[in-house]
Amino acid sequence: MLLALTKAMDSKGCTYKELSRITGYSVGVLNKMFNNGNVKFDTILSVIRNLVPEKETEMIQLYCRQQEDIKPENLKDLLEYTTTHRLDSLLDRVIEMSIKHKNKIVNQWGSFYKTLKEWRNRKMTDYEAYEWLRESKVTCNHLKVLVRLMEMNYFYVIKDYKIINDIQAIVRNMLDGMEDSYLKNSFIARVSEMTSALELRVNKNVEEARKHALDVIERNIGETYSAFSYQTLALSYINDSKVKFNHYYLKALNILDNWYENTLINDMENRRIKINSIIDRDFDRDFVQAEDDPLDLLIKGIKSNDTIYIYACMTKFQNAGDAFLAEIPKMELIKRGCAEELLSII
């Protein structure tokens, strides 16, 4: 890896001084890195992203294979990096290295991420995972933050949004006490992703939703995190800008196409077509109806001018905890003479 990065520097005519200016790390730290690679993971990652961004995954793989004695702090960062970037085969290797490490805290981290991977791959139910989290006896403060983050994921799945807000406040306080590192950056992005979704779907606060979604994208902790943040950005512009809605939605689709089966991508594209149809009041476009998509009820209601279908759409969104999208059928009902005061208390 170091040889490849050195060649990249030479080919670009980049000096240590110039690299120091770009990355923000001192020439001394960069010298140490290129001599033995024994520096913090975020330093290595910053150099890779500035020199050979198109080869990031390849360089990280080389680092894991070639570095004989990876520092405990870097193993923790690598566990998080390979998890959020969905590099499962490399994650397995880092988990194995961590579990075999002489440092007992690192052993705990390896075992923890191994179970997280099993949860993500649906080898345990959400409730089983939550019970496991409750019973976890972690001793490392940073790992305690991760436990809280995973609890937030569980409560988001079961739509208990109030408790998520309570946990978020605790997590942000815990993060304030962490020193700057790749791990801290990634944890903040995880919180911002959750905050962005809640601000839009539950609180209907588009400005806060956009702010946190952009924060996730800027922190660059994995393509799927960026994609779902682009989707949140897109939805936040439904009422403001059709151009921006489609711009961000297509960005999300292009990324997710590399990670998910066609069924999900097709469903998302169908929803984009439906939303554009509603914005343009053009219902002659071809799209596939879905059993559980409330937008089908809305379109049917608008086309037939039947408030029963529109009301059913609003109720479905509300039951799903999506107050933001529930506003779309609500406005259609108000246009048709339904009292806003009555709709607001339903």
Side-chain angles (χ1 to χ4, degrees), residues 73 135 174 238:
E73 293 78 9
E135 294 169 5
M174 295 170 81
I238 283 179

Side-chain angles (χ1 to χ4, degrees), residues 33 45 94 115 176 195 205 215 277 304:
M33 173 186 156
L45 186 59
V94 180
T115 307
D176 286 342
T195 303
N205 189 333
D215 182 57
S277 295
S304 62

Side-chain angles (χ1 to χ4, degrees), residues 177-320:
M178 283 180 67
E179 65 178 24
D180 290 341
S181 63
Y182 177 81
L183 202 63
K184 180 177 182 177
N185 178 72
S186 188
F187 285 177
I188 291 173
R190 283 178 181 257
V191 177
S192 288
E193 183 199 32
M194 187 72 67
T195 303
S196 177
L198 291 177
E199 287 293 350
L200 184 68
R201 303 298 182 97
V202 180
N203 300 330
K204 298 182 288 185
N205 189 333
V206 294
E207 294 302 327
E208 282 297 304
R210 290 169 189 166
K211 181 180 78 173
H212 288 288
L214 289 169
D215 182 57
V216 177
I217 295 163
E218 184 179 351
R219 290 181 185 278
N220 191 15
I221 68 164
E223 285 193 340
T224 55
Y225 285 85
S226 295
F228 286 117
S229 294
Y230 278 127
Q231 186 182 22
T232 298
L233 277 173
L235 293 173
S236 78
Y237 281 104
I238 283 179
N239 300 316
D240 300 336
S241 170
K242 178 186 169 185
V243 172
K244 287 185 178 180
F245 163 73
N246 283 289
H247 171 73
Y248 288 122
Y249 207 102
L250 289 172
K251 271 183 171 288
L253 276 174
N254 288 336
I255 295 172
L256 293 175
D257 192 36
N258 298 322
W259 294 97
Y260 289 94
E261 295 178 356
N262 288 339
T263 304
L264 173 67
I265 304 305
N266 292 338
D267 287 348
M268 287 182 64
E269 174 58 14
N270 266 311
R271 176 162 271 211
R272 187 182 74 86
I273 295 170
K274 293 172 194 176
I275 291 172
N276 277 294
S277 295
I278 294 165
I279 293 171
D280 296 336
R281 318 303 282 185
D282 176 6
F283 303 109
D284 294 326
R285 298 171 185 174
D286 291 330
F287 57 81
V288 178
Q289 290 195 359
E291 260 183 56
D292 57 349
D293 190 352
L295 291 178
D296 291 331
L297 292 169
L298 177 59
I299 290 171
K300 189 172 183 178
I302 294 173
K303 288 175 72 174
S304 62
N305 199 29
D306 190 333
T307 55
I308 292 176
Y309 288 113
I310 300 173
Y311 179 80
C313 170
M314 183 182 75
T315 302
K316 274 183 171 285
F317 278 132
Q318 288 174 336
N319 290 342

Side-chain angles (χ1 to χ4, degrees), residues 22 32 41 50 57 60-61 63 98 129 134 136 162 167 173 209 213 222-224 288 304 313:
I22 296 170
K32 182 180 179 182
F41 176 73
N50 281 283
T57 300
I60 297 299
Q61 288 173 334
Y63 172 70
S98 302
R134 288 182 60 194
S136 296
K162 184 181 182 303
I167 296 174
N173 280 334
E223 285 193 340
T224 55
V288 178
S304 62
C313 170

Side-chain angles (χ1 to χ4, degrees), residues 67-242:
Q67 193 72 15
E68 292 181 4
D69 185 23
I70 297 179
K71 298 164 65 175
E73 293 78 9
N74 286 0
L75 279 174
K76 297 173 189 176
D77 288 343
L78 280 166
L79 286 166
E80 176 71 2
Y81 177 93
T82 50
T83 295
T84 60
H85 285 77
R86 292 179 174 263
L87 302 174
D88 279 4
S89 59
L90 191 55
L91 172 59
D92 287 338
R93 176 177 171 79
V94 180
I95 287 172
E96 183 182 1
M97 293 166 65
S98 302
I99 290 174
K100 290 180 178 179
H101 200 277
K102 60 186 178 183
N103 186 309
K104 289 185 178 179
I105 296 295
V106 176
N107 302 158
Q108 196 173 59
W109 277 77
S111 298
F112 199 89
Y113 273 88
K114 183 179 180 180
T115 307
L116 288 185
K117 184 189 172 192
E118 291 172 356
W119 182 9
R120 186 175 70 187
N121 292 342
R122 312 311 298 172
K123 291 182 179 178
M124 60 171 68
T125 66
D126 293 320
Y127 183 72
E128 286 171 341
Y130 177 62
E131 284 296 299
W132 164 71
L133 286 171
R134 288 182 60 194
E135 294 169 5
S136 296
K137 294 180 172 60
V138 297
T139 55
C140 172
N141 287 334
H142 293 178
L143 206 48
K144 289 177 182 177
V145 177
L146 186 56
V147 169
R148 291 294 194 176
L149 289 171
M150 294 303 101
E151 286 176 348
M152 285 168 57
N153 284 354
Y154 171 73
F155 288 115
Y156 187 80
V157 169
I158 66 170
K159 299 181 176 62
D160 190 339
Y161 301 128
K162 184 181 182 303
I163 197 166
I164 293 176
N165 282 328
D166 295 339
I167 296 174
Q168 274 192 65
I170 295 170
V171 170
R172 290 194 182 278
N173 280 334
M174 295 170 81
L175 287 170
D176 286 342
M178 283 180 67
E179 65 178 24
D180 290 341
S181 63
Y182 177 81
L183 202 63
K184 180 177 182 177
N185 178 72
S186 188
F187 285 177
I188 291 173
R190 283 178 181 257
V191 177
S192 288
E193 183 199 32
M194 187 72 67
T195 303
S196 177
L198 291 177
E199 287 293 350
L200 184 68
R201 303 298 182 97
V202 180
N203 300 330
K204 298 182 288 185
N205 189 333
V206 294
E207 294 302 327
E208 282 297 304
R210 290 169 189 166
K211 181 180 78 173
H212 288 288
L214 289 169
D215 182 57
V216 177
I217 295 163
E218 184 179 351
R219 290 181 185 278
N220 191 15
I221 68 164
E223 285 193 340
T224 55
Y225 285 85
S226 295
F228 286 117
S229 294
Y230 278 127
Q231 186 182 22
T232 298
L233 277 173
L235 293 173
S236 78
Y237 281 104
I238 283 179
N239 300 316
D240 300 336
S241 170
K242 178 186 169 185

